[in-house]
């Protein structure tokens, strides 16, 4: 039966993580790697189902990191909570350090009308722009890694 | 127009680089876990990427202990299955590891 690779974590990444905790001389058969691949996907589903139920019980619609961590704790993975909390905080601190685009914060200069057209200022809140963009990318499915030329100062509200 | 998003690795200074688990795939698996899993916060897959690393490390260590019990140096599927059987919190995996029984496996039932 053909395995759909999209349902599993990549074997190379999996193997690299395994190697961190194995002695150098250890060998790992392919069937062991594949089994662990399946277990990881099952782990994600298992925790997500519980996290989603927590969400619904509290009349919320979006599964948050808190839901995920609380679900893990409830399902016996309490020893993951501390390293995960440290990880989340570090990640958020990095996000906060990312400098906002200057164009987002400065009020746009008042431009003379050209052919009767006066551009309006961008209708985004600069401080939240990053978060909005992340969410936008997330829900629009445009979050492919790196290859879409992100990083240039491409937003020009006057064009 | 596009700013780097949470998944493009440009924002986090390489910390979520190519060596981390792919967030898009994690999100896909999360959505597949239930019909009513509709909205997932952008950070949830990021949490899972770290949680899965912890999970892989734990399962690997336990499976390797089984390999050592067999006095060999190659980890096989049976070692992973044995680790699952003897760890309470891995009960949700029992059906997964035992669905293709191997006649030559030396698992305890």
């Amino acid at each position: 039966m053909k395995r759909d690779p999209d349902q599993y974590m990549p074997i190379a990444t999996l193997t690299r993580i395994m190697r961190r905790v194995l002695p150098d001389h250890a060998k790992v058969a392919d069937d062991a790697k594949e089994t662990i691949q399946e277990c990881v996907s099952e782990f994600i589903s298992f925790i997500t189902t519980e996290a989603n139920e927590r969400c619904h019980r509290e009349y919320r619609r979006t599964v948050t990191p808190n839901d995920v961590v609380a679900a893990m704790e409830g399902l016996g993975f309490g020893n993951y909570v501390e390293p995960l909390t440290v990880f989340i905080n570090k990640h958020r601190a990095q996000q906060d350090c990312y400098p906002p685009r200057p164009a987002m914060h400065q009020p746009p200069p008042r431009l003379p009308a050209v052919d009767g057209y006066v551009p309006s200022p961008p209708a985004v809140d600069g401080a939240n722009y990053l978060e909005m963009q992340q969410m936008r990318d997330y829900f629009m499915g445009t979050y492919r890694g790196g290859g879409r030329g992100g990083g240039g100062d491409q937003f020009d509200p006057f064009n | 127009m596009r700013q780097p998003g949470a998944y493009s690795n440009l924002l986090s200074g390489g910390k979520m680089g190519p060596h981390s688990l792919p967030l898009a795939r994690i999100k896909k698996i999360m959505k597949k876990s239930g019909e009513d899993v509709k909205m997932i916060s952008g950070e949830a897959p990021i949490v899972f990427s770290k949680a899965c690393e912890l999970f892989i490390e734990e399962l690997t260590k336990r499976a390797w202990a089984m390999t050592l019990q067999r006095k060999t140096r190659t980890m096989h599927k049976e070692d992973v299955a044995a680790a699952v059987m003897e760890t309470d919190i891995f009960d949700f995996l029992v059906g997964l590891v035992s669905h293709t029984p191997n006649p030559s496996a030396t698992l305890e039932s």
Side-chain angles (χ1 to χ4, degrees):
Chain A
M1 190 164 73
K2 234 176 150 190
R3 267 169 130 234
D4 176 8
D6 273 358
Q7 296 309 311
Y8 305 110
M9 294 297 113
I11 276 241
T13 316
L14 189 88
T15 307
R16 195 187 51 86
I17 297 169
M18 291 176 73
R19 285 280 162 213
R20 284 187 209 152
V21 298
L22 290 172
D24 289 344
H25 63 268
K27 291 187 178 33
V28 184
D30 286 348
D31 65 359
K33 292 181 190 176
E34 286 173 10
T35 303
I36 295 185
Q37 263 186 320
E38 291 167 13
C39 289
V40 173
S41 297
E42 192 67 20
F43 172 70
I44 295 171
S45 294
F46 181 57
I47 302 293
T48 300
T49 301
E50 174 69 15
N52 194 45
E53 276 170 23
R54 274 169 193 265
C55 240
H56 287 344
R57 279 202 294 268
E58 295 172 17
Y59 305 105
R60 287 180 287 108
R61 292 169 62 200
T62 306
V63 177
T64 65
N66 277 354
D67 295 323
V68 172
V69 173
M72 284 185 197
E73 179 146 44
L75 292 170
F77 294 91
N79 52 330
Y80 291 8
V81 171
E82 199 188 315
L84 284 177
T85 308
V86 168
F87 178 78
I88 295 170
N89 289 338
K90 250 197 228 176
H91 183 263
R92 285 182 178 158
Q94 284 180 326
Q95 302 291 303
D96 287 342
C97 285
Y98 190 84
R101 294 286 178 195
M104 294 295 105
H105 281 294
Q106 290 159 14
R110 297 190 62 190
L111 297 180
V114 176
D115 293 334
Y117 172 69
V118 179
S120 52
V124 288
D125 174 1
N128 289 328
Y129 180 82
L130 224 48
E131 204 171 313
M132 280 173 56
Q133 186 62 47
Q134 285 175 23
M135 295 305 285
R136 194 196 84 105
D137 282 356
Y138 192 91
F139 290 111
M140 300 283 282
T142 55
Y143 45 70
R144 280 180 278 281
R148 292 270 221 109
D153 189 359
Q154 296 168 44
F155 185 82
D156 183 352
F158 304 116
N159 266 316
Chain B
M1 172 143 183
R2 179 179 179 275
Q3 295 271 1
Y7 302 122
S8 68
N9 300 330
L10 296 174
L11 267 180
S12 44
K15 292 274 164 151
M16 300 288 301
H19 302 296
S20 302
L21 295 165
L23 300 177
R25 208 168 291 184
I26 290 174
K27 186 193 158 198
K28 203 180 267 201
I29 298 170
M30 288 179 76
K31 298 214 92 167
K32 260 205 113 188
S33 67
E35 280 292 322
D36 59 346
V37 179
K38 295 202 165 61
M39 306 270 292
I40 301 172
S41 104
E43 282 182 314
I46 293 170
V47 173
F48 262 120
S49 76
K50 181 65 179 176
C52 288
E53 285 188 20
L54 298 172
F55 175 79
I56 291 164
E57 288 177 357
E58 181 169 9
L59 184 53
T60 301
K61 282 191 274 197
R62 290 177 181 275
W64 182 248
M66 300 294 115
T67 309
L68 292 177
Q69 281 184 25
R70 289 192 299 114
K71 301 196 193 321
T72 173
R73 289 183 173 197
T74 304
M75 185 194 295
H76 281 285
K77 173 180 173 162
E78 292 75 26
D79 300 316
V80 180
V84 163
M85 295 304 182
E86 75 149 31
T87 311
D88 284 346
I89 60 171
F90 291 164
D91 277 354
F92 69 98
L93 297 169
V94 166
L96 188 69
V97 298
S98 57
H99 79 286
T100 49
N102 182 349
S104 62
T106 53
L107 286 175
E108 291 171 9
S109 56

